[in-house]
Amino acid sequence: MTRGARLLLFSALYLAQGLPYGFFTQALPVLMRDAGYSLISISATTFLFVPWALKFLWAPYVDRYGTRRRWLLPLQLASAIGAALLAGIDFSGSLRLVFVALLIFNLLAATQDIVTDGLAVILLGPRDRGLANGIQVGGYRLGMVLGGGLLLWIYGLAGWRPMFATMAILLGLTVLPVLGLHETPRAPAVEVAPARHAWLRRLRQPGFPMFAMLICFYKFGDSMGAALVGPFMKDAGLGLAQIAWLKGTLASAAALLGAAAGGWLAFSFGRRTALLIGGLSQTLSLALYAAAASGIGAYPLIAGACIAEHVLGGAATVALFTLMMDAADREHASSDYTLLACAVVIAQGAATLSAGVVAQLFGYAPMFLASVLLSACGCLMLITALDRGRGPARLRAVWRAQTAS
């Protein structure tokens, strides 16, 4: 494949992941809050994202068997068909079927993510990973804001069926770039342990558990603050159209800008600078939400916080994902990257539950303030540990080279 075709492919694949994820994590909480659900109940839906936390269990099979095209085509088609089927169901009486759909979509998207991340590690060299992760995060966040903004706007205008029909069309379009992916069948990787135990062997690599723990700390505070932004906007008096505008049009442009900024930082200045600037700047966006929740600034500050969240958070995520690719071994790309991604998902789930409990008991402002402190501490902990040589050997080599250059 040409470079342009590869970039289009990755953009489509990550957008396909972000689209349903954006709806279920951004639009659905707003709809649940509108229906009278408590913040704890809303945050409890994080348990339906369990496939993202457990995907390391089947990642070794993706590394071993078939081509990635044979994995991607049925997964992409199943997501599009699933959304089309949902368009034929009336959800006005209950959200239970939506929760079932959420679990199924997460299973499909988590498996697709295993394939896509492994493909990225194999096709991209260390120099290109920063820019490529900018495309990854840009595509994923664009999918999220389409799911959390555009689809919410369509729901407000026309209801469930047109919304899911739009989702099906968009997911169907992301299948097209996969048709141009051609690979030779891969020989099964040589493993001492059987595939069902391979993930445990990968987890035991020297420095790997420590690095997984550090990236969890890096993401916890940011995830805690972002978890209840939609319900906060709803409780602050914003209507569905306003929320859709903020989390759709404005957030879409901001997400692309943030992804581009993160890719440029990682490519031009190295991992350390990108990680430091991205991590501390995303903390600033959480501080804006804390100020808005304290009664300062009203709608203009909420809008500014939303834009800052997507710009600065996008840059921070690019830096983190680039680092995770550096830590993955090419021969076990899907397994290694998936283990790290699962660690992040587990941290995000814990952060979401924590956000719901803290906000329900103490209010939005204390919850956002706690996320600010945890986000800043997590960023500084990760950078300090990497400066001291923590993490897998292949990551240390790239970190030293990037710091010295």
Side-chain angles (χ1 to χ4, degrees):
M1 298 179 70
T2 65
R3 172 177 287 185
R6 288 199 300 268
L7 297 181
L8 177 62
L9 172 66
F10 286 125
S11 298
L13 292 175
Y14 285 116
L15 187 146
Q17 294 176 26
L19 184 66
Y21 188 84
F23 169 74
F24 288 121
T25 59
Q26 298 186 47
L28 184 59
V30 176
L31 300 178
M32 291 178 66
R33 191 60 171 168
D34 191 45
Y37 285 82
S38 71
L39 295 176
I40 293 178
S41 297
I42 294 172
S43 63
T45 58
T46 190
F47 287 111
L48 297 174
F49 291 86
V50 68
W52 289 92
L54 299 180
K55 61 181 180 175
F56 65 87
L57 294 175
W58 59 93
Y61 293 92
V62 175
D63 266 333
R64 280 171 165 256
Y65 303 113
T67 66
R68 287 179 170 81
R69 186 177 188 273
R70 290 179 181 175
W71 283 98
L72 288 172
L73 275 177
L75 289 168
Q76 294 289 97
L77 289 171
S79 295
I81 292 171
L85 292 175
L86 290 175
I89 300 175
D90 182 11
F91 295 97
S92 58
S94 172
L95 291 178
R96 291 181 180 178
L97 285 176
V98 177
F99 298 148
V100 173
L102 168 57
L103 183 62
I104 295 173
F105 268 106
N106 280 326
L107 179 60
L108 294 172
T111 306
Q112 190 256 52
D113 188 55
I114 296 171
V115 185
T116 304
D117 290 337
L119 188 64
V121 172
I122 291 171
L123 293 181
L124 303 171
R127 175 72 171 165
D128 295 329
R129 286 173 188 162
L131 290 174
N133 273 284
I135 293 172
Q136 171 187 355
V137 174
Y140 189 83
R141 283 185 171 259
L142 178 59
M144 284 187 64
V145 296
L146 289 174
L150 174 65
L151 295 184
L152 181 61
W153 177 73
I154 292 175
Y155 169 81
L157 288 178
W160 291 102
R161 290 181 177 177
M163 182 193 68
F164 279 118
T166 303
M167 181 189 292
I169 293 171
L170 292 174
L171 288 173
L173 291 175
T174 66
V175 178
L176 299 179
V178 182
L179 299 176
L181 176 63
H182 297 288
E183 303 172 274
T184 56
R186 295 169 292 166
V190 178
E191 285 279 0
V192 176
R196 65 179 180 275
H197 297 143
W199 67 267
L200 185 58
R201 185 174 177 225
R202 304 308 305 165
L203 183 61
R204 289 174 176 171
Q205 300 172 76
F208 206 86
M210 171 64 73
F211 179 62
M213 182 180 67
L214 288 168
I215 62 176
C216 286
F217 284 134
Y218 184 85
K219 284 298 294 179
F220 188 92
D222 167 57
S223 301
M224 183 178 181
L228 296 178
V229 168
F232 165 64
M233 289 180 175
K234 180 65 180 176
D235 289 347
L238 276 66
L240 291 182
Q242 289 177 301
I243 297 174
W245 164 255
L246 286 178
K247 298 180 78 65
T249 304
L250 291 182
S252 176
L256 293 177
L257 179 60
W264 175 75
L265 281 171
F267 183 80
S268 301
F269 299 100
R271 274 48 164 177
R272 191 181 191 280
T273 300
L275 206 63
L276 181 62
I277 294 177
L280 294 182
S281 63
Q282 79 174 358
T283 303
L284 174 62
S285 69
L286 301 175
L288 295 177
Y289 279 125
S294 300
I296 302 172
Y299 179 82
L301 186 57
I302 294 175
C306 182
I307 294 171
E309 174 199 354
H310 286 85
V311 172
L312 305 177
T317 303
V318 168
L320 183 66
F321 285 0
T322 303
L323 209 64
M324 289 162 57
M325 282 192 177
D326 293 336
D329 178 59
R330 287 177 59 86
E331 295 299 322
H332 307 277
S334 295
S335 299
D336 284 2
Y337 193 93
T338 296
L339 278 170
L340 296 173
C342 287
V344 170
V345 170
I346 292 171
Q348 289 173 324
T352 299
L353 289 173
S354 300
V357 172
V358 173
Q360 187 74 43
L361 295 178
F362 305 106
Y364 287 112
M367 185 272 291
F368 283 124
L369 284 173
S371 71
V372 169
L373 294 175
L374 291 170
S375 177
C377 291
C379 175
L380 296 176
M381 285 177 59
L382 176 58
I383 291 175
T384 300
L386 292 175
D387 284 343
R388 294 178 178 177
R390 303 294 189 267
R394 52 187 169 271
L395 172 60
R396 294 199 301 269
V398 175
W399 184 263
R400 285 195 299 267
Q402 291 277 318
T403 304
S405 58

